[in-house]
Amino acid sequence: MKSRVSRGKSKIKKLLTEGSRKIVILTHVNPDGDAIGSSLALCRVLKKMGHIVNVITPNVYPSFLQWMPGNSEITVFYNALKKARLMIQEAEIIFCLDFNDLTRIKQVTAPALESTAHKILIDHHPTQKYFTPMVYCDVNVSSTAELIYDFICSLGFRNFIDLETATCIYTGMMTDTGCFSYNSSNPYTYRVVAKLLEMGLDKDYAYAKVYDNFSGSRMRLLGYVLNEKMEIFEEYATAILSLTREEQKRFRFQAGDSEGFVNYPLSIKNIKFSVLFVEKEDHVKLSLRSKGSFQVNRFAELHFNGGGHPNASGGEMHAPMQEVLKKFRELLPQYKNELADEKVK
Ligand code: 5GP
Ligand code: MN
């Protein structure tokens, strides 16, 4: 089944080839490796073509993502309200990367909606409806970064991809596939990786920058959470982890420190559904992961105001941790059949 949706490509090409444009690239709140990698890759290519480009993230992102080429030029909206608003106001083109629901850019939604710029969406999350007429989307692609590679090549701009851009693209692909352990069974993904390697990509360097870059307290926090906070619900093939504000303080928690925690319970035999609950100032953030056909995006959408991919989603609830956990535990029996019947490949 064809999953690629490409609309307005000739208009996009025209916009990008007829003189220098003021361009803004927006990505989602709590940006991950794919959000930052795809934004910086596209930014670099567009700059090489002679455009004036700014990348804006709604909020800060972890230090293990702050090394990619071009990182220092990213504007964090919450830290530079006036400057970021002006960039959006003056933009002639706005690219929206790695999200397809405007609520995902939080405070940036209003200025983005007010802007009359041409908007182009590039994404790989499922949706019923696109908020821009110009789109380049595909739910079956590993990452937005892989789509960015295709997008650039399909417009005939491949010669603008240099080693730095290749590093950003690879980092997006690597992080969104758990180092090619899921969402990465399409041979084409590896053809892209091969092209990037031919350009001189040092993939081991990218890996080390992301995964060998943790603080000692983050490792201790992981040990603590797995040892003392993991709850296993065998009859529902489910395991959960939770992290309160007090625990975050105790382990000198930095943005991104709990990244990846949610994947650990899926290594337990027969566990198919894993959730991490992280207490924030006024809400609890959920990270949901599954193996096989249990769709966590549907679960997150229905119960926790969230969404994402079928096997990797997020959500949130504005209530104290105990209430959120109670709601979750009470929901599980409804899913008993789905989780129990589920076959893990
Ligand atoms: P994570 O658990 O790593 O924060 O997010 C996993 C996936 O779910 C990512 O693709 C992310 O974009 C998506 N996601 C995370 N939180 C939310 C949310 O609150 N709403 C929606 N719609 N998607 C989310
Ligand atoms: Mn992504």
Side-chain angles (χ1 to χ4, degrees), residues 285-289 296 300-301 304-309 312-316:
K285 174 83 198 153
L286 281 74
S287 277
L288 307 95
R289 300 288 186 274
V296 288
E301 240 171 75
F304 292 100
N305 195 26
H309 304 284
S313 296
E316 59 188 35

Side-chain angles (χ1 to χ4, degrees), residues 249-301:
K249 219 170 136 197
R250 203 177 340 141
F251 287 88
R252 280 171 282 143
F253 189 90
Q254 299 286 314
D257 273 0
S258 60
E259 198 81 21
F261 283 15
V262 65
N263 295 310
Y264 284 88
L266 289 180
S267 303
I268 302 169
K269 196 174 173 183
N270 294 330
I271 294 295
K272 299 154 190 168
F273 182 25
S274 168
V275 185
L276 168 72
F277 299 82
V278 181
E279 190 176 29
K280 305 277 182 186
E281 208 173 310
D282 62 347
H283 68 282
V284 173
K285 174 83 198 153
L286 281 74
S287 277
L288 307 95
R289 300 288 186 274
S290 67
K291 271 185 184 169
S293 64
F294 184 66
Q295 295 184 357
V296 288
N297 53 351
R298 198 170 51 94
F299 184 92
E301 240 171 75

Side-chain angles (χ1 to χ4, degrees), residues 28-30 32 34 98-101 103-104 106 123-125 176 259-260 262 276 285-289 297 300-301 304-309 311-316:
H28 59 81
V29 68
N30 303 326
D32 54 14
D34 191 27
D98 203 36
F99 69 95
N100 57 35
D101 169 354
T103 64
R104 295 281 291 140
K106 301 286 171 184
D123 184 42
H124 68 137
H125 292 88
D176 246 29
E259 198 81 21
V262 65
L276 168 72
K285 174 83 198 153
L286 281 74
S287 277
L288 307 95
R289 300 288 186 274
N297 53 351
E301 240 171 75
F304 292 100
N305 195 26
H309 304 284
N311 294 122
S313 296
E316 59 188 35

Side-chain angles (χ1 to χ4, degrees), residues 118-136:
H118 299 281
K119 298 189 181 102
I120 303 167
L121 176 67
I122 306 180
D123 184 42
H124 68 137
H125 292 88
T127 184
Q128 307 295 329
K129 184 166 140 261
Y130 298 108
F131 63 82
T132 63
M134 285 185 270
V135 296
Y136 196 73

Side-chain angles (χ1 to χ4, degrees), residues 31-33 35-37 39-41 43-44 47 54-57 59-76 83 164 168 209:
D32 54 14
I36 300 297
S39 297
L40 287 177
C43 174
R44 191 168 175 96
K47 276 188 173 170
N54 286 294
V55 175
I56 300 176
T57 63
N59 62 344
V60 289
Y61 45 95
S63 59
F64 61 80
L65 297 177
Q66 292 178 15
W67 58 273
M68 279 177 257
N71 175 70
S72 60
E73 291 157 52
I74 292 183
T75 301
V76 177
K83 184 176 147 201
E164 285 78 6
C168 297
K209 281 297 215 185

